[in-house]
Amino acid sequence: REEITVDLGRTRPDALSASATTVQIVLGSRSTALPLSFLAKAAKKRKLGAWECYANGEYPPSKVEGFSERTRRTASLLPLPGGVPPTAVLSGFNMHRMRDVDPGEDTRRKLGAIGSKLNGRVLDVCTGLGYTAIGAAARPTVDEVVTIELDPLMIELQRANPWSAELFESPKIVRLLGDATELLPALPDGHFHACIHDPPTAALAGELFSVEIYRQLRRCLRPGGVLFHYVGDPASKASGRMFKGIVERLRVAGFEARVHAKAYGIAAVAVDMPCERRRSVVSPEMRVPTRAL
C-alpha cells in the first residue's frame, strides 16, 4: 500500500473521499481531486516521488523534478515514510542518509559534531535542501548563517519542499547562489565561527574535496573555529577509503581533524597560524547577490 501525504508529511489531510474516478483531498479551505487513473498508474509503476497537485484539479499533478542546465544533471525530491523530511536525489545519488537514520536525524548529527562551537556566524557550503542551514539558524547562539548553493534547480526543489520553507523566511539566513570555489575567496578572513561543508559525492564534485577548498574554508574561519565535513559511511569501501586523504589535506590546510563516525564525517578545528599573513578581520554587511533567488 502506497502512502499519500499532504505537504510531504508535515500536515495530514482533514478529509479524504473517493468517487468512481477521483480521490478528493481536503486541507482546510483547500481541496484537490486526484484522478484514480493517475494514482493507479503511479502505484503500479512505483513512481515514487513528490507531486505538486493543484486546487480543484485545474492542472494534472506534476512531479517535483528537473534537469539542471548548470550541472547537466537530474534532481528530484524523494519523500520518506513516517512524517520525516524528504531527501533530494541528484543523478541517482541520495543526498541524505536513509538506511539507519532519516534526513532530520542526519542533520542533527552533523550539527552535533560541531558541539558548543556552533555559535556566532556560521558558513554552510552546499545548501542542498537547506536542513543544516535551517537547523543552525534555529540555535539561539547563532547570529547568522551564510549558505552557498551552486544549482538553480536545487533552489526550485527548496521552494517546492515545505521542509525548506525557513530558508526563505528566517532573517538569520543569507543565501548565495554560485560556485563555492568562486564565492569563498570573496568572503572575509576570520569571519565565521563554524562551518558545515556538505558536498555531494566526490564523483560529482571532486573539487570540493581539494586542499585548495579546505584552505579557503580555513581562511574564512576564526582560529579555534570548527568545521564539520560530511564524507559518508566510514565503514563503507567507497567512502571509508577517502577519510585518510581528507584528514591529511585538512591538516595541510591548517586544521586539526578527527573522524566523527556517528555523523559520517570529520570534525576539524582551525589552528592558529601566527606566521600567516592575514587580511584584517572585518564584518561587512553580507548581501545576497542579485543572481540569488
Side-chain angles (χ1 to χ4, degrees):
R1 184 176 65 88
E2 303 297 334
E3 180 181 13
I4 300 175
T5 65
V6 177
D7 290 347
L8 295 181
R10 300 203 80 174
T11 308
R12 296 297 175 185
D14 296 320
L16 290 171
S17 61
S19 69
T21 58
T22 64
V23 172
Q24 190 81 14
I25 300 176
V26 178
L27 181 63
S29 61
R30 297 175 296 162
S31 67
T32 187
L34 298 181
L36 278 176
S37 58
F38 159 74
L39 294 174
K41 184 177 180 180
K44 182 178 180 179
K45 294 189 175 182
R46 296 197 58 81
K47 290 186 175 181
L48 302 180
W51 300 78
E52 288 188 308
C53 303
Y54 302 89
N56 301 318
E58 184 176 2
Y59 300 102
S62 60
K63 194 173 184 181
V64 182
E65 63 181 0
F67 178 80
S68 171
E69 296 295 334
R70 177 64 186 267
T71 66
R72 313 302 297 175
R73 299 178 186 132
T74 58
S76 63
L77 277 182
L78 178 63
L80 301 172
V84 300
T87 188
V89 181
L90 183 60
S91 288
F93 292 92
N94 294 329
M95 294 294 102
H96 297 89
R97 294 168 63 179
M98 294 167 49
R99 183 175 302 174
D100 53 347
V101 299
D102 62 72
E105 177 62 22
D106 180 41
T107 299
R108 287 186 286 273
R109 293 188 184 190
K110 291 170 181 174
L111 298 177
I114 297 177
S116 62
K117 294 290 186 177
L118 189 62
N119 55 51
R121 292 183 292 269
V122 178
L123 177 62
D124 177 51
V125 181
C126 301
T127 312
L129 293 177
Y131 300 153
T132 51
I134 293 168
R139 300 288 181 94
T141 55
V142 170
D143 300 319
E144 177 186 63
V145 179
V146 176
T147 183
I148 299 173
E149 173 55 46
L150 170 68
D151 193 356
L153 175 58
M154 191 58 65
I155 306 298
E156 294 181 22
L157 297 189
Q158 294 165 4
R159 289 191 178 278
N161 179 20
W163 297 84
S164 302
E166 281 296 308
L167 270 179
F168 307 95
E169 298 169 0
S170 173
K172 290 185 180 182
I173 298 177
V174 177
R175 297 176 297 109
L176 303 181
L177 178 63
D179 190 331
T181 64
E182 299 173 359
L183 292 178
L184 286 174
L187 299 178
D189 288 11
H191 187 73
F192 298 97
H193 300 78
C195 174
I196 303 106
H197 185 48
D198 192 4
T201 174
L204 300 180
E207 69 279 5
L208 298 182
F209 294 79
S210 67
V211 69
E212 290 80 10
I213 203 80
Y214 299 157
R215 284 190 172 119
Q216 286 296 332
L217 297 177
R218 168 63 189 87
R219 182 188 59 77
C220 292
L221 281 171
R222 293 185 171 195
V226 176
L227 163 72
F228 174 73
H229 183 339
Y230 182 80
V231 180
D233 185 357
S236 74
K237 290 183 179 180
S239 298
R241 61 192 178 197
M242 297 177 60
F243 277 83
K244 184 177 179 180
I246 292 172
V247 168
E248 176 57 23
R249 291 193 293 278
L250 287 170
R251 184 194 65 77
V252 170
F255 289 96
E256 291 180 353
R258 62 180 179 84
V259 175
H260 197 294
K262 185 177 180 181
Y264 277 22
I266 295 169
V269 178
V271 297
D272 196 5
M273 295 179 287
C275 295
E276 180 184 8
R277 295 185 62 187
R278 299 174 61 83
R279 300 194 298 271
S280 59
V281 177
V282 294
S283 298
E285 180 182 3
M286 303 295 294
R287 296 186 183 276
V288 181
T290 55
R291 64 184 180 280
L293 299 180

